[in-house]
Amino acid sequence: MGRVKLLAAAIGAAFLAGNAHAISITSETDANALWNAVAGGIDGITVNSTSLSGQTLPLPIGPSAVSSGTFTNASGTYGIGAGIVLSSGDVNDYNTGPNNSDSTTIGYNVPATPAQETVLDTITGGTFDHFDVTEFSVNFDVDDTVDTIFFNLVWGSEEYDEFVNTNFIDAFGIFLNDNNETIVDGDPINVNHPDMAFLTGTELDGVLAPNLDPLLSFALAVTPGSTGNELSFIIADSGDDALDSTVYISGIGSVAPDPDPDPDPDPDPDPDPGVPVPATLLLLGAGLVGMAYRRRRA
């Protein structure tokens, strides 16, 4: 682990030694359960169907590796509320905790389908091979009062920073009605993004954090009264199936989610309401390193 990472981890530990349970992940492979966890009870939206294309791998010891799940966030890690988590690896490696390894990985060795390759190439900017895809999709109608779908997310990768500007361009995409919405400050969400940064909080090596704020908020336009809208989230390894990427998604709905959730039950107001707490002050706990870990790319 590099000098900058060690310094960031030390700062996080100094401030957060008492936060044992912040992001806490539960494996989940049922698409309806994922939708209910991230968007239950939305006004003005009727869900027609949900689908999940993900990965599962039995491990030699303990529960299976699973690439999708739900999470709670009692202490506000990265500033994101509870929701769902998708990964090209094992979501259970990405609870709150220190970054114990710069090469956490689960290799399912499952290539992307031709349709997924076409989609992912628009994010990674080439004809790379992609592996270990997790894709979550929802088909929905909206009533006449809904013109926007909102949500928050945090994305990060184990590929940062050793494999920036290589063929290992792990990527994440958001598509609404086949339109690529995966643009942050003019660039797609992948490990080459110039706003990637070392931020403590989970096992992730690097997190996409414009202005060092890892919480990304999206507002996607839909036509009021439209039917058959398709919203998809897709994440994948690029170049091979090793070193993983993970995304946390919260607050999908027709009303903008709270940009700075405050899970603290203390009724006293925050000293500076509305200003996100710096991510370097937000996390520790116990991170899990994938049981199927292996080194690669010496």
Side-chain angles (χ1 to χ4, degrees):
M1 189 183 300
R3 187 179 309 168
V4 175
K5 297 182 192 176
L6 287 172
L7 176 59
I11 293 171
F15 280 92
L16 291 168
N19 282 349
H21 300 288
I23 289 180
S24 180
I25 294 170
T26 301
S27 299
E28 180 58 71
T29 59
D30 182 272
N32 287 327
L34 292 176
W35 176 254
N36 290 332
V38 76
I42 297 176
D43 292 333
I45 297 178
T46 301
V47 173
N48 302 315
S49 63
T50 61
S51 64
L52 174 69
S53 174
Q55 311 298 332
T56 302
L57 179 69
L59 297 178
I61 302 174
S64 297
V66 179
S67 69
S68 57
T70 63
F71 74 94
T72 57
N73 193 7
S75 298
T77 299
Y78 295 141
I80 193 167
I84 64 172
V85 55
L86 309 176
S87 183
S88 61
D90 183 5
V91 292
N92 293 293
D93 285 336
Y94 298 101
N95 295 275
T96 291
N99 186 3
N100 293 316
S101 170
D102 63 1
S103 54
T104 300
T105 187
I106 289 288
Y108 299 99
N109 195 29
V110 177
T113 67
Q116 290 171 336
E117 285 285 5
T118 298
V119 168
L120 289 163
D121 281 344
T122 67
I123 307 168
T124 55
T127 56
F128 303 104
D129 291 330
H130 299 92
F131 297 87
D132 297 355
V133 178
T134 299
E135 183 175 11
F136 175 59
S137 300
V138 181
N139 185 281
F140 64 94
D141 305 335
V142 298
D143 67 22
D144 292 337
T145 68
V146 176
D147 61 7
T148 308
I149 302 298
F150 299 92
F151 54 91
N152 291 333
L153 65 82
V154 173
W155 180 85
S157 178
E158 298 293 313
E159 300 282 0
Y160 188 78
D161 65 339
E162 298 91 333
F163 301 103
V164 171
N165 296 321
T166 70
N167 290 340
F168 307 110
I169 311 172
D170 283 13
F172 169 72
I174 309 160
F175 291 82
L176 178 61
N177 297 329
D178 295 325
N179 293 317
N180 186 353
E181 308 287 349
T182 324
I183 303 298
V184 174
D185 288 347
D187 290 291
I189 299 179
N190 63 47
V191 74
N192 288 342
H193 198 289
D195 291 330
M196 291 291 291
F198 297 117
L199 293 180
T200 58
T202 66
E203 185 64 47
L204 288 167
D205 282 5
V207 178
L208 180 55
N211 300 313
L212 296 182
D213 183 357
L215 189 67
L216 306 177
S217 297
F218 289 82
L220 309 185
V222 295
T223 302
S226 59
T227 61
N229 297 287
E230 189 80 13
L231 177 65
S232 296
F233 303 90
I234 187 169
I235 191 167
D237 290 331
S238 296
D240 63 11
D241 69 345
L243 299 190
D244 303 319
S245 296
T246 297
V247 62
Y248 308 90
I249 305 166
S250 74
I252 296 178
S254 56
V255 177
D258 184 351
D260 183 22
D262 181 7
D264 189 347
D266 188 336
D268 293 337
D270 290 338
D272 188 10
V275 178
V277 179
T280 52
L281 303 185
L282 281 178
L283 309 174
L284 274 202
L288 299 175
V289 178
M291 295 296 296
Y293 161 89
R294 71 179 191 276
R295 294 285 302 185
R296 65 116 157 104
R297 309 175 204 158

